[in-house]
Each structure stands twice: as C-alpha cells, then as structure tokens.
Amino acid sequence: MSYIHIENAGKTFLQNGEEFTALADVNLDIEKGEFICLLGPSGCGKSTLLNGIAGFDLVNKGSITIDGEEVKGPSTNNVTIFQNYGLLPWRTVLKNVELGLESQNMDKKKRKEIARKYLQVVKLENFENSFPHQLSGGMQQRVAIARALAVNPEILFMDEPFGALDAITRMKLQDDILDICKNEKKTIIFVTHDIEEAVYLADRIVVMTPNPGKVKGVLTVPLHHFRDRTSGDFLLVRDKIFELLNMKTEETIEYQI
Ligand SMILES: Nc1ncnc2c1ncn2[C@@H]1O[C@H](COP(=O)(O)OP(=O)(O)O)[C@@H](O)[C@H]1O
Ligand SMILES: [Mg+2]
C-alpha cells in the first residue's frame, strides 16, 4: 500500500442546520518523498483535505491511512506550516525554533544545537536573538520552516504558506523549500491556489474544484527541478491545469504529459 492512502474520503459540515459537503469521494495515493500540491480555487476543500490527512479535523467518510495506520488525530511525525507563521512574538527567533523540541525529553544544550542547525538551513543564523516583529514576512516564514524542520517530521504540511508574501519573496522561498526538500527528503503536502506556484514546486498536482469540493484530476509534472518559469514546457503544464479546471466531467482524470 502507498505511504499515504486516501480512499473515498469525504467531509460534511453542518451549515445553518443543513449538511454541506466540503469534500467528496477523494481517492489518492501518495508515496514517501513526493512533493504534492493541492491546487484549486478558494472553497474547493484544500484545507479540509489537508486537515484530514494531518489529523486536525478528521474526514467523516471513507478512510485515510499513513504507513498503514488510520489517521485518528495529529501525529508527532507530522508538522504543519500556515500562512500566518504562528510565531510567538515574545520569544526570540532561536526560542521560537526550539519550541517544538521542548515537549521532547532533550537537554537544553542539544535543543539549542538543533535549533541553530535549522536556522542555518534557512539562512537566518545571524538573527537568532531577534524577535519576530524585527523580521520581514519572508524571514518570519523561514523561522516557521526552521521550527517545523527541527522536530524532524516525516511529512510537512503547508497550507498556503507563502500566501501573505510579495511575489519576489515568494519565488525566493519556493527555491528554499525545494532545496530543503532535496536535502532533507521529506514528504510535502502543499496547498496553494496559485497555478504557477504548483507547477514550479510539485512532483504531482492534485487539481480540485468546488461545490462539492472534489479532485478533478492529478497531473504529474514532467519537469526537473529547478524549473524555468518562462520555458515552453512550463507553460504547457500550466495550460493543462487551466484545461483541467475548466473541464466539465464527473470523472477524476490521471493526466500525463
Ligand atoms: N468548520 C467548518 N464548518 C462549516 N463549513 C466549513 C468548515 N470548514 C470549511 N467549511 C466549508 O467547506 C468548504 C471548503 O473549505 P476549505 O477546505 O477551507 O477550502 P479551501 O481551503 O480550498 O479554500 C468551504 O465552502 C467552507 O465554507
Ligand atoms: Mg484553505
């Protein structure tokens, strides 16, 4: 069985006393080490699916397993990075990175050592004594990435992590995350509504559409990292995604280019 196995997964919420289907019939298999982007317009169930896999808010139809185990709640093998960084303003950068390690039985010296190592990975080693408000948005998100990596998770969930950043900072962080992925060999589930971001980052793109939220197609990106955003091949993949998003079909399509 695949590392992450999602079978007929769905989620309904009660909205004003009525059942609302946020996610319907998702079937998806993800292998270890894959970079998966969940892509689609706002409200198509990306966060709902991510929260179901991460165990924050379980699906109420079908099943999701990781390594053969049914997801029943958040696991210490996973970590999630959100758009708003989630840093504690009263803690220094170093202390923020140490945060996840504090619940582990580890002496202070070792904790500091690991936190420093990951600050180096995100190139913020000279800012360990700064406070979050003294850093730019991009730097704050790099602190959040360092904090996530410090606990050595197997899966990194990222829910529109670069959504609040300007385009140039965003491109820079996209390269950083690809670098990290290559060196640290994580499985990454990355939510975005930005088609170019998905084409730039993903091994496979899960294209989703709303009402009800469902997977329209899964597209394997046939390009090597680091990708040239202006190349013909890049634009071709982007066009295929537009096509998928606009396609009127009930079936889920496996797309290869
Ligand atoms: N806790 C909730 N209660 C009721 N409806 C919800 C809840 N969470 C999400 N929804 C609805 O489910 C749909 C999918 O939401 P979400 O997964 O957040 O979409 P996305 O992340 O793709 O923007 C939306 O229509 C949203 O209003
Ligand atoms: Mg969302």
Side-chain angles (χ1 to χ4, degrees):
M1 206 198 275
S2 309
Y3 181 49
I4 301 176
H5 180 67
I6 304 173
E7 200 170 312
N8 300 325
K11 176 85 174 177
T12 52
F13 291 107
L14 271 185
Q15 281 188 0
N16 308 320
E18 291 196 21
E19 199 170 79
F20 171 82
T21 303
L23 199 64
D25 298 323
V26 176
N27 288 290
L28 184 66
D29 282 293
I30 298 170
E31 300 303 334
K32 224 174 190 154
E34 271 197 294
F35 197 128
I36 299 289
C37 278
L38 307 180
L39 172 72
S42 180
C44 70
K46 303 181 296 295
S47 297
T48 302
L49 180 56
L50 180 131
N51 289 333
I53 309 171
F56 290 129
D57 195 1
L58 305 182
V59 292
N60 47 22
K61 291 207 170 67
S63 82
I64 300 182
T65 60
I66 298 179
D67 240 349
E69 301 261 344
E70 185 88 30
V71 174
K72 292 199 181 112
S75 154
T76 50
N77 289 335
N78 313 330
V79 63
T80 304
I81 297 173
F82 297 100
Q83 187 182 106
N84 57 6
Y85 324 129
L87 303 179
L88 301 179
W90 58 88
R91 283 189 164 216
T92 63
V93 162
L94 187 70
K95 282 281 172 199
N96 263 288
V97 178
E98 284 184 42
L99 194 67
L101 299 167
E102 285 169 8
S103 53
Q104 300 178 6
N105 235 341
M106 182 184 289
D107 69 67
K108 274 190 189 155
K109 197 162 149 261
K110 179 86 189 152
R111 207 161 69 199
K112 219 168 226 151
E113 199 179 295
I114 294 175
R116 286 201 168 118
K117 174 181 156 190
Y118 285 99
L119 277 177
Q120 225 162 23
V121 168
V122 299
K123 305 180 195 84
L124 285 176
E125 62 271 33
N126 296 329
F127 294 87
E128 65 170 61
N129 294 320
S130 303
F131 286 89
H133 74 271
Q134 296 172 309
L135 308 181
S136 68
M139 290 160 87
Q140 290 186 53
Q141 193 55 301
R142 274 153 59 202
V143 176
I145 292 169
R147 184 177 60 188
L149 291 171
V151 298
N152 196 22
E154 286 189 16
I155 309 173
L156 207 54
F157 292 99
M158 304 180 92
D159 196 346
E160 307 207 20
F162 308 150
L165 305 173
D166 65 85
I168 295 166
T169 304
R170 202 171 171 141
M171 284 197 264
K172 174 89 193 43
L173 275 182
Q174 287 165 359
D175 281 339
D176 288 350
I177 204 75
L178 285 176
D179 253 337
I180 287 165
C181 218
K182 206 170 60 191
N183 298 331
E184 309 269 333
K185 298 198 173 51
K186 305 289 181 202
T187 304
I188 301 192
I189 318 273
F190 188 108
V191 166
T192 181
H193 57 247
D194 181 330
I195 298 179
E196 292 212 0
E197 183 164 71
V199 177
Y200 192 70
L201 292 173
D203 295 321
R204 281 193 300 149
I205 301 174
V206 176
V207 180
M208 298 175 69
T209 51
N211 302 315
K214 58 186 285 189
V215 174
K216 199 64 173 284
V218 180
L219 187 140
T220 304
V221 183
L223 306 170
H224 294 295
H225 287 123
F226 292 78
R227 297 168 182 167
D228 175 357
R229 295 171 210 263
T230 59
S231 76
D233 288 346
F234 190 97
L235 301 177
L236 185 77
V237 178
R238 207 189 59 179
D239 291 348
K240 284 287 169 203
I241 292 182
F242 271 119
E243 208 178 293
L244 257 177
L245 282 169
N246 293 319
M247 209 178 274
K248 303 235 177 311
T249 169
E250 288 303 306
E251 285 159 50
T252 303
I253 302 168
E254 287 281 339
Y255 238 87
Q256 302 275 357
I257 297 175

mmCIF file of all heavy atoms in Angstrom, residues 10-31:
data_model
loop_
_atom_site.group_PDB
_atom_site.id
_atom_site.type_symbol
_atom_site.label_atom_id
_atom_site.label_comp_id
_atom_site.label_asym_id
_atom_site.label_seq_id
_atom_site.Cartn_x
_atom_site.Cartn_y
_atom_site.Cartn_z
ATOM 1 N N GLY A 10 -14.334 11.789 2.396
ATOM 2 C CA GLY A 10 -15.250 12.915 2.262
ATOM 3 C C GLY A 10 -15.452 13.584 3.599
ATOM 4 O O GLY A 10 -15.102 13.045 4.654
ATOM 5 N N LYS A 11 -15.972 14.807 3.520
ATOM 6 C CA LYS A 11 -16.209 15.548 4.758
ATOM 7 C C LYS A 11 -17.464 16.396 4.594
ATOM 8 O O LYS A 11 -17.611 17.132 3.621
ATOM 9 C CB LYS A 11 -15.007 16.456 5.051
ATOM 10 C CG LYS A 11 -15.167 17.349 6.249
ATOM 11 C CD LYS A 11 -14.791 16.648 7.527
ATOM 12 C CE LYS A 11 -14.798 17.579 8.711
ATOM 13 N NZ LYS A 11 -14.494 16.859 9.955
ATOM 14 N N THR A 12 -18.360 16.268 5.555
ATOM 15 C CA THR A 12 -19.531 17.138 5.550
ATOM 16 C C THR A 12 -19.497 17.997 6.809
ATOM 17 O O THR A 12 -18.986 17.577 7.847
ATOM 18 C CB THR A 12 -20.833 16.321 5.545
ATOM 19 O OG1 THR A 12 -20.770 15.373 6.610
ATOM 20 C CG2 THR A 12 -21.028 15.590 4.235
ATOM 21 N N PHE A 13 -19.992 19.194 6.694
ATOM 22 C CA PHE A 13 -20.134 20.097 7.837
ATOM 23 C C PHE A 13 -21.592 20.460 7.951
ATOM 24 O O PHE A 13 -22.322 20.450 6.952
ATOM 25 C CB PHE A 13 -19.368 21.398 7.610
ATOM 26 C CG PHE A 13 -17.879 21.263 7.616
ATOM 27 C CD1 PHE A 13 -17.153 21.362 6.436
ATOM 28 C CD2 PHE A 13 -17.191 21.066 8.803
ATOM 29 C CE1 PHE A 13 -15.763 21.257 6.436
ATOM 30 C CE2 PHE A 13 -15.811 20.961 8.816
ATOM 31 C CZ PHE A 13 -15.093 21.053 7.633
ATOM 32 N N LEU A 14 -21.997 20.814 9.162
ATOM 33 C CA LEU A 14 -23.344 21.368 9.317
ATOM 34 C C LEU A 14 -23.247 22.870 9.129
ATOM 35 O O LEU A 14 -22.471 23.546 9.792
ATOM 36 C CB LEU A 14 -23.887 21.046 10.711
ATOM 37 C CG LEU A 14 -24.653 19.724 10.856
ATOM 38 C CD1 LEU A 14 -25.224 19.609 12.250
ATOM 39 C CD2 LEU A 14 -25.765 19.595 9.801
ATOM 40 N N GLN A 15 -23.995 23.389 8.186
ATOM 41 C CA GLN A 15 -24.034 24.839 7.972
ATOM 42 C C GLN A 15 -25.481 25.283 8.073
ATOM 43 O O GLN A 15 -26.303 24.865 7.258
ATOM 44 C CB GLN A 15 -23.454 25.200 6.593
ATOM 45 C CG GLN A 15 -21.939 25.209 6.559
ATOM 46 C CD GLN A 15 -21.390 25.762 5.236
ATOM 47 O OE1 GLN A 15 -22.132 26.142 4.355
ATOM 48 N NE2 GLN A 15 -20.078 25.803 5.135
ATOM 49 N N ASN A 16 -25.792 26.087 9.052
ATOM 50 C CA ASN A 16 -27.182 26.533 9.317
ATOM 51 C C ASN A 16 -28.153 25.350 9.371
ATOM 52 O O ASN A 16 -29.210 25.373 8.748
ATOM 53 C CB ASN A 16 -27.651 27.521 8.247
ATOM 54 C CG ASN A 16 -26.657 28.643 8.072
ATOM 55 O OD1 ASN A 16 -26.101 29.145 9.051
ATOM 56 N ND2 ASN A 16 -26.394 29.016 6.840
ATOM 57 N N GLY A 17 -27.743 24.328 10.064
ATOM 58 C CA GLY A 17 -28.619 23.176 10.238
ATOM 59 C C GLY A 17 -28.682 22.225 9.050
ATOM 60 O O GLY A 17 -29.326 21.193 9.107
ATOM 61 N N GLU A 18 -27.992 22.582 7.965
ATOM 62 C CA GLU A 18 -28.011 21.693 6.801
ATOM 63 C C GLU A 18 -26.641 21.089 6.554
ATOM 64 O O GLU A 18 -25.625 21.702 6.824
ATOM 65 C CB GLU A 18 -28.439 22.481 5.561
ATOM 66 C CG GLU A 18 -29.884 22.886 5.629
ATOM 67 C CD GLU A 18 -30.400 23.318 4.266
ATOM 68 O OE1 GLU A 18 -29.802 22.949 3.246
ATOM 69 O OE2 GLU A 18 -31.415 24.036 4.265
ATOM 70 N N GLU A 19 -26.659 19.878 5.991
ATOM 71 C CA GLU A 19 -25.405 19.208 5.712
ATOM 72 C C GLU A 19 -24.762 19.793 4.448
ATOM 73 O O GLU A 19 -25.405 19.902 3.411
ATOM 74 C CB GLU A 19 -25.663 17.713 5.525
ATOM 75 C CG GLU A 19 -24.411 16.894 5.684
ATOM 76 C CD GLU A 19 -24.712 15.404 5.749
ATOM 77 O OE1 GLU A 19 -24.943 14.833 4.673
ATOM 78 O OE2 GLU A 19 -24.711 14.848 6.856
ATOM 79 N N PHE A 20 -23.522 20.174 4.591
ATOM 80 C CA PHE A 20 -22.804 20.754 3.458
ATOM 81 C C PHE A 20 -21.594 19.867 3.151
ATOM 82 O O PHE A 20 -20.803 19.553 4.029
ATOM 83 C CB PHE A 20 -22.354 22.177 3.814
ATOM 84 C CG PHE A 20 -21.428 22.775 2.813
ATOM 85 C CD1 PHE A 20 -21.936 23.355 1.648
ATOM 86 C CD2 PHE A 20 -20.051 22.756 3.005
ATOM 87 C CE1 PHE A 20 -21.075 23.900 0.703
ATOM 88 C CE2 PHE A 20 -19.187 23.313 2.068
ATOM 89 C CZ PHE A 20 -19.709 23.884 0.915
ATOM 90 N N THR A 21 -21.477 19.461 1.884
ATOM 91 C CA THR A 21 -20.356 18.590 1.507
ATOM 92 C C THR A 21 -19.152 19.439 1.111
ATOM 93 O O THR A 21 -19.152 20.063 0.057
ATOM 94 C CB THR A 21 -20.750 17.651 0.345
ATOM 95 O OG1 THR A 21 -21.893 16.907 0.755
ATOM 96 C CG2 THR A 21 -19.622 16.702 -0.005
ATOM 97 N N ALA A 22 -18.154 19.454 1.968
ATOM 98 C CA ALA A 22 -16.952 20.241 1.687
ATOM 99 C C ALA A 22 -15.974 19.444 0.829
ATOM 100 O O ALA A 22 -15.153 19.996 0.100
ATOM 101 C CB ALA A 22 -16.274 20.648 2.987
ATOM 102 N N LEU A 23 -16.081 18.131 0.935
ATOM 103 C CA LEU A 23 -15.131 17.259 0.231
ATOM 104 C C LEU A 23 -15.861 15.967 -0.108
ATOM 105 O O LEU A 23 -16.534 15.387 0.748
ATOM 106 C CB LEU A 23 -13.963 16.966 1.180
ATOM 107 C CG LEU A 23 -12.661 16.476 0.586
ATOM 108 C CD1 LEU A 23 -12.065 17.551 -0.318
ATOM 109 C CD2 LEU A 23 -11.674 16.162 1.710
ATOM 110 N N ALA A 24 -15.743 15.534 -1.382
ATOM 111 C CA ALA A 24 -16.471 14.326 -1.786
ATOM 112 C C ALA A 24 -15.564 13.337 -2.503
ATOM 113 O O ALA A 24 -14.783 13.722 -3.385
ATOM 114 C CB ALA A 24 -17.626 14.718 -2.699
ATOM 115 N N ASP A 25 -15.621 12.103 -2.088
ATOM 116 C CA ASP A 25 -15.008 10.978 -2.820
ATOM 117 C C ASP A 25 -13.578 11.197 -3.278
ATOM 118 O O ASP A 25 -13.282 11.080 -4.471
ATOM 119 C CB ASP A 25 -15.840 10.652 -4.078
ATOM 120 C CG ASP A 25 -17.233 10.212 -3.711
ATOM 121 O OD1 ASP A 25 -17.366 9.510 -2.700
ATOM 122 O OD2 ASP A 25 -18.180 10.602 -4.423
ATOM 123 N N VAL A 26 -12.697 11.492 -2.369
ATOM 124 C CA VAL A 26 -11.301 11.679 -2.769
ATOM 125 C C VAL A 26 -10.565 10.343 -2.700
ATOM 126 O O VAL A 26 -10.580 9.657 -1.678
ATOM 127 C CB VAL A 26 -10.587 12.707 -1.871
ATOM 128 C CG1 VAL A 26 -9.101 12.803 -2.245
ATOM 129 C CG2 VAL A 26 -11.254 14.060 -1.992
ATOM 130 N N ASN A 27 -9.951 9.989 -3.824
ATOM 131 C CA ASN A 27 -9.086 8.808 -3.877
ATOM 132 C C ASN A 27 -7.715 9.268 -4.325
ATOM 133 O O ASN A 27 -7.579 9.875 -5.392
ATOM 134 C CB ASN A 27 -9.638 7.782 -4.874
ATOM 135 C CG ASN A 27 -10.876 7.117 -4.340
ATOM 136 O OD1 ASN A 27 -10.806 6.331 -3.395
ATOM 137 N ND2 ASN A 27 -12.020 7.454 -4.905
ATOM 138 N N LEU A 28 -6.727 8.986 -3.500
ATOM 139 C CA LEU A 28 -5.396 9.498 -3.812
ATOM 140 C C LEU A 28 -4.354 8.671 -3.072
ATOM 141 O O LEU A 28 -4.548 8.326 -1.905
ATOM 142 C CB LEU A 28 -5.319 10.961 -3.349
ATOM 143 C CG LEU A 28 -4.070 11.757 -3.652
ATOM 144 C CD1 LEU A 28 -3.913 11.963 -5.154
ATOM 145 C CD2 LEU A 28 -4.139 13.127 -2.963
ATOM 146 N N ASP A 29 -3.271 8.343 -3.775
ATOM 147 C CA ASP A 29 -2.155 7.642 -3.142
ATOM 148 C C ASP A 29 -0.911 8.493 -3.260
ATOM 149 O O ASP A 29 -0.615 9.021 -4.325
ATOM 150 C CB ASP A 29 -1.922 6.300 -3.834
ATOM 151 C CG ASP A 29 -2.931 5.274 -3.386
ATOM 152 O OD1 ASP A 29 -2.880 4.899 -2.205
ATOM 153 O OD2 ASP A 29 -3.788 4.872 -4.205
ATOM 154 N N ILE A 30 -0.207 8.633 -2.149
ATOM 155 C CA ILE A 30 0.992 9.468 -2.124
ATOM 156 C C ILE A 30 2.158 8.629 -1.628
ATOM 157 O O ILE A 30 2.031 7.915 -0.625
ATOM 158 C CB ILE A 30 0.762 10.694 -1.213
ATOM 159 C CG1 ILE A 30 -0.380 11.562 -1.775
ATOM 160 C CG2 ILE A 30 2.040 11.513 -1.065
ATOM 161 C CD1 ILE A 30 -0.853 12.663 -0.850
ATOM 162 N N GLU A 31 3.283 8.723 -2.337
ATOM 163 C CA GLU A 31 4.462 7.955 -1.927
ATOM 164 C C GLU A 31 5.385 8.807 -1.067
ATOM 165 O O GLU A 31 5.370 10.030 -1.150
ATOM 166 C CB GLU A 31 5.231 7.458 -3.164
ATOM 167 C CG GLU A 31 4.437 6.542 -4.089
ATOM 168 C CD GLU A 31 3.879 5.297 -3.389
ATOM 169 O OE1 GLU A 31 4.462 4.855 -2.367
ATOM 170 O OE2 GLU A 31 2.851 4.784 -3.858
#
